[in-house]
């Protein structure tokens, strides 16, 4: 991307390691995984640079082995949230006044720690605690988080260099201040990188943060905070709390010093938080910034000119990597009738070849869904599809939670384009396909646009460029990230900034300068060199 401050290269995407059999890195991951699996980790909260234990704990277990306990985390009481807010506010002045290049240096160091000595640890933690395969952990916990940290420093550098024009009479300059008060980060289970980026990008801009990670991601969140602490993030800048989300959020959003929410999670929760902020608006010292990335009902459209093997591969990867638990995961597809038989044959073959089990066995492509609530929800939809006459499960459909929360990758074919699983967000390894007549491509594009309240990701596969152009135009409002001849997953920081609109969020594009601009309050300064001494203008004579 270029060079940042002091002419130092910053924004460079971290190379993805392959972890092929026999690779030394593969062995290092296995050792780290087994060490974590055979230990019991105590995870205290982190407030004002200190570990805070309460004795009131909850266990942590791998989703693929839910009876095995790998640790416990401590739950906050009301006093801990009050303390986190007060210590953040106490740390604010020194942190905000720290020269921005020194804040940048801290997070660049964090990136290098993850790229080097912490890489095996953060990947293994993500594999075990979130049931990601080694490849999915590598592209998330290592590479994407490293990229977030590096590129955000580059974007901050670019932002601060962006200045208004001056004249011989006056010097005009923009000062990028952090928001007043403190900000609140609420992060999801499915991406360790998102969990690290939400609090760190705000802190990088000089803000002080209260961070509540998902209960299902606390194990790897502990590694993130260990990295930030070693990198030199001062006490009070990022405070981490666990526990009752309603209690924590009620206290945070009631504070007059609350100034911003950075959220990734469910659409319903985000809307409820927005409403709560609105109800409290008269209490705040400043209008809070609200940034959110939420759900999706992400799609694949295959034109009659698409390559059937490419379509099948896009579905197999786009719908089933990480068990369909990516925000961007494909969960509905529209396939042109003339290529359907070839697509079906290859897709069924691919899905049947998947190996499923613990991520510790690196031959497995599929592992477990995140928790019992997710498992039960998905099983209910699969049972309904098996019973419905207008739905046909062509592969998969099994599930078992005796040891882990395992849902077989399942493909449903329906003749009803508004069938339940074509519309509802499932967040799991269930793909529903509607086959359309070749001569109804335009009507199908309209159907894709109108079917969902979400607008996160989508893809068109076609060899006919006119079809690509038509789809790109027709689907412009239903996907914030749109892919041509590819699966709708796999956004890379600096290449495809991520975010959607409609029910999918505020579309502030994580991994871009647009997101960082939300976490500053610009001040315009004009310095006049020769100050007037007479109020009279020439027109007065």
């Amino acid at each position: 991307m270029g060079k940042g401050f002091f002419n130092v290269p910053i924004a460079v995407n971290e190379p993805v390691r392959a972890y092929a059999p026999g690779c030394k890195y593969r062995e290092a991951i296995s050792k780290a995984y087994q060490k974590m699996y055979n230990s019991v980790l105590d995870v205290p909260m982190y407030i004002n640079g200190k570990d805070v234990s309460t004795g009131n704990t909850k266990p942590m277990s791998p989703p693929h082995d839910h009876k095995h306990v790998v640790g416990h985390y401590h739950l906050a009481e009301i006093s801990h949230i009050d303390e986190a807010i007060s210590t953040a506010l106490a740390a604010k002045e020194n942190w905000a006044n720290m020269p921005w290049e020194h804040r940048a240096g801290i997070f660049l160091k964090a990136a290098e720690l993850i790229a080097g000595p912490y890489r095996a640890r953060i990947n293994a933690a993500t594999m075990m605690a979130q049931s990601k395969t080694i490849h999915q952990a590598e592209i998330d916990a290592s590479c994407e988080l490293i990229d977030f940290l590096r590129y955000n420093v580059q974007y901050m550098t670019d932002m601060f260099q962006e200045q208004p024009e001056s004249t011989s009479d006056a010097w005009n300059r923009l000062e990028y201040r952090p928001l007043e008060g403190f900000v609140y980060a609420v992060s999801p289970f499915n991406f360790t990188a998102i969990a690290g980026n939400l609090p760190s990008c705000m802190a990088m801009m000089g803000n002080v943060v209260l961070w509540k990670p998902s209960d299902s991601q606390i194990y790897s969140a502990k590694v993130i905070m260990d990295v930030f602490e070693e990198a030199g993030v001062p006490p009070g800048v990022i405070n981490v709390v666990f526990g009752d989300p309603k209690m924590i959020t009620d206290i945070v959003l009631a504070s007059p010093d609350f100034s911003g929410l950075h959220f990734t999670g469910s659409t319903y929760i985000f809307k409820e938080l927005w409403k709560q902020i609105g109800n409290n608006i008269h209490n705040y010292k400043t209008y809070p910034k609200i940034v959110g990335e939420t759900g999706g009902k992400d799609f694949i459209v295959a034109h009659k000119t698409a390559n059937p093997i490419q379509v099948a591969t896009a579905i197999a990867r786009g719908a089933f990597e990480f068990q369909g638990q990516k925000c961007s995961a494909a969960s509905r597809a529209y396939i042109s009738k003339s290529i359907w038989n070839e697509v079906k044959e290859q897709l069924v073959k691919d899905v049947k070849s998947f190996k499923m089990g613990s991520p510790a066995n690196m031959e497995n492509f599929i592992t477990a869904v995140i928790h019992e609530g997710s498992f039960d929800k998905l099983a209910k939809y699969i049972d309904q599809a098996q019973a419905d006459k207008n739905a046909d499960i062509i592969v998969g459909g099994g599930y078992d939670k005796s040891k882990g929360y395992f849902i077989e990758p399942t493909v449903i074919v329906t003749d009803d384009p508004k069938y339940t699983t074509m519309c509802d967000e499932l967040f799991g390894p269930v793909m529903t396909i509607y086959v359309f007549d070749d001569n109804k491509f335009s009507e199908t594009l309209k159907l894709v646009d109108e079917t969902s309240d979400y607008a996160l990701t989508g893809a068109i596969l076609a060899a006919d460029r006119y079809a690509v152009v038509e789809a790109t135009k027709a689907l412009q409002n239903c996907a914030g990230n749109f892919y041509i001849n590819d699966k709708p997953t796999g956004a890379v920081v600096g290449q495809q900034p991520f975010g959607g609109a409609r029910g999918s969020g505020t579309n502030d594009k994580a991994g871009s300068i647009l997101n960082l601009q939300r976490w500053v309050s610009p001040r315009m300064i004009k310095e006049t060199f020769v100050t007037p001494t007479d109020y009279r203008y020439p027109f007065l004579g």
Side-chain angles (χ1 to χ4, degrees):
M1 180 175 174
K3 296 184 178 180
F5 61 92
F6 308 134
N7 210 34
V8 176
I10 295 173
V12 179
N13 289 109
E14 178 67 17
V16 177
R17 291 176 178 172
Y19 297 101
C23 168
K24 64 178 181 180
Y25 299 125
R26 184 182 177 112
E27 183 179 351
I29 291 287
S30 294
K31 287 182 178 179
Y33 182 100
Q34 290 303 323
K35 182 178 181 180
M36 291 177 179
Y37 183 84
N38 293 318
S39 303
V40 179
L41 180 69
D42 183 69
V43 184
M45 293 178 290
Y46 189 79
I47 299 173
N48 199 28
K50 299 177 181 177
D51 291 339
V52 177
S53 300
T54 63
N56 181 15
T57 63
K58 280 190 174 181
M60 298 181 291
S61 298
H64 49 276
D65 192 4
H66 55 66
K67 295 178 182 178
H68 179 72
V69 175
V70 294
H72 300 86
Y73 62 93
H74 292 256
L75 304 175
E77 298 172 359
I78 291 174
S79 61
H80 298 114
I81 311 307
D82 290 335
E83 182 185 2
I85 292 172
S86 63
T87 55
L89 293 172
K92 182 175 179 58
E93 183 175 0
N94 286 339
W95 180 243
N97 288 334
M98 180 182 286
W100 66 269
E101 63 269 23
H102 287 275
R103 296 198 305 268
I106 290 172
F107 290 106
L108 287 177
K109 181 176 180 178
E112 295 311 304
L113 288 170
I114 297 168
Y118 278 84
R119 194 179 197 123
R121 183 178 163 195
I122 200 167
N123 279 347
T126 301
M127 292 168 65
M128 186 181 70
Q130 291 139 268
S131 284
K132 288 202 170 190
T133 65
I134 178 54
H135 175 72
Q136 293 299 315
E138 167 74 4
I139 61 177
D140 163 26
S142 291
C143 295
E144 187 170 19
L145 183 49
I146 293 165
D147 290 350
F148 272 133
L149 295 167
R150 290 175 178 166
Y151 274 84
N152 284 342
V153 168
Q154 179 70 65
Y155 296 137
M156 179 171 64
T157 305
D158 295 342
M159 187 190 309
F160 288 177
Q161 289 175 344
E162 183 68 27
Q163 293 294 325
E165 292 185 8
S166 296
T167 68
S168 59
D169 298 323
W171 179 20
N172 300 312
R173 57 191 184 270
L174 273 176
E175 177 184 85
Y176 294 92
R177 306 164 297 167
L179 305 180
E180 288 193 79
F182 71 96
V183 292
Y184 185 35
V186 180
S187 61
F189 77 85
N190 58 338
F191 278 91
T192 300
I194 295 175
N197 180 56
L198 263 58
S200 67
C201 73
M202 297 190 290
M204 188 182 294
M205 305 310 295
N207 296 286
V208 288
V209 188
L210 191 148
W211 173 28
K212 187 209 167 297
S214 164
D215 290 351
S216 300
Q217 191 265 324
I218 287 173
Y219 199 106
S220 55
K222 172 68 167 66
V223 183
I224 292 171
M225 280 312 302
D226 288 347
V227 170
F228 287 165
E229 186 176 20
E230 184 170 338
V233 175
V237 171
I238 299 177
N239 301 280
V240 189
V241 296
F242 316 128
D244 178 5
K246 186 177 187 307
M247 179 271 288
I248 295 170
T249 299
D250 285 349
I251 296 173
V252 167
L253 299 189
S255 171
D257 293 298
F258 168 71
S259 62
L261 169 67
H262 204 184
F263 176 91
T264 298
S266 81
T267 299
Y268 176 80
I269 295 298
F270 185 53
K271 288 180 177 179
E272 288 296 301
L273 294 177
W274 196 306
K275 182 169 67 175
Q276 192 171 350
I277 292 168
N279 290 336
N280 292 339
I281 197 68
H282 293 293
N283 299 331
Y284 300 134
K285 295 176 181 178
T286 184
Y287 294 107
K289 301 287 184 74
I290 304 174
V291 173
E293 189 259 294
T294 59
K297 189 63 184 174
D298 308 309
F299 60 84
I300 291 173
V301 178
H303 186 256
K304 63 183 179 181
T305 61
N307 181 316
I309 306 302
Q310 293 174 355
V311 174
T313 302
I315 294 172
R317 285 186 168 184
F320 300 130
E321 286 183 323
F322 187 40
Q323 298 76 257
Q325 296 175 125
K326 298 182 181 183
C327 310
S328 56
S331 61
R332 56 183 172 128
Y334 304 78
I335 313 297
S336 196
K337 188 174 182 178
S338 60
I339 64 170
W340 167 237
N341 285 337
E342 289 183 74
V343 172
K344 177 181 177 181
E345 181 181 359
Q346 184 64 44
L347 179 59
V348 170
K349 179 181 177 182
D350 286 344
V351 172
K352 286 184 175 180
S353 73
F354 293 167
K355 293 181 179 180
M356 183 167 65
S358 167
N361 180 349
M362 295 186 192
E363 293 183 354
N364 290 328
F365 184 76
I366 298 293
T367 65
V369 297
I370 193 64
H371 50 52
E372 189 171 22
S374 176
F375 177 94
D376 291 345
K377 173 185 174 181
L378 292 163
K380 183 178 179 180
Y381 276 101
I382 290 171
D383 288 346
Q384 188 62 51
Q386 288 173 332
D388 289 340
K389 294 182 179 179
N390 56 348
D392 180 28
I393 295 177
I394 62 171
V395 66
Y399 50 81
D400 182 357
K401 63 178 179 181
S402 57
K403 180 176 177 61
Y405 302 116
F406 291 104
I407 301 280
E408 286 183 358
T410 300
V411 179
I412 301 168
V413 178
T414 181
D415 56 10
D416 178 6
K418 295 295 182 72
Y419 181 67
T420 305
T421 57
M422 289 292 287
C423 303
D424 292 358
E425 183 191 32
L426 306 186
F427 221 65
V430 178
M431 160 59 78
T432 307
I433 295 174
Y434 172 72
V435 181
F436 65 90
D437 291 338
D438 289 4
N439 61 356
K440 291 187 177 180
F441 181 64
S442 298
E443 294 93 323
T444 300
L445 295 178
K446 185 177 180 181
L447 183 66
V448 174
D449 182 53
E450 294 177 346
T451 293
S452 176
D453 294 331
Y454 298 104
L456 193 51
T457 73
I460 173 67
L461 286 92
D464 183 341
R465 199 69 196 188
Y466 285 114
V468 170
V469 171
E470 182 182 356
T472 303
K473 179 65 176 177
L475 303 175
Q476 62 180 337
N477 292 318
C478 60
N481 281 52
F482 188 67
Y483 296 78
I484 298 171
N485 288 321
D486 200 356
K487 59 185 174 63
T489 63
V492 177
V493 177
Q495 298 182 37
Q496 301 100 26
F498 192 77
R502 291 184 179 170
S504 293
T506 57
N507 206 11
D508 286 289
K509 297 300 184 192
S512 79
I513 197 171
L514 299 174
N515 189 283
L516 292 193
Q517 288 171 341
R518 298 300 306 276
W519 308 120
V520 292
S521 182
R523 180 168 70 151
M524 182 64 233
I525 301 173
K526 175 189 176 183
E527 181 177 349
T528 298
F529 299 132
V530 180
T531 305
T533 57
D534 190 337
Y535 81 89
R536 296 172 182 84
Y537 293 100
F539 79 91
L540 294 173

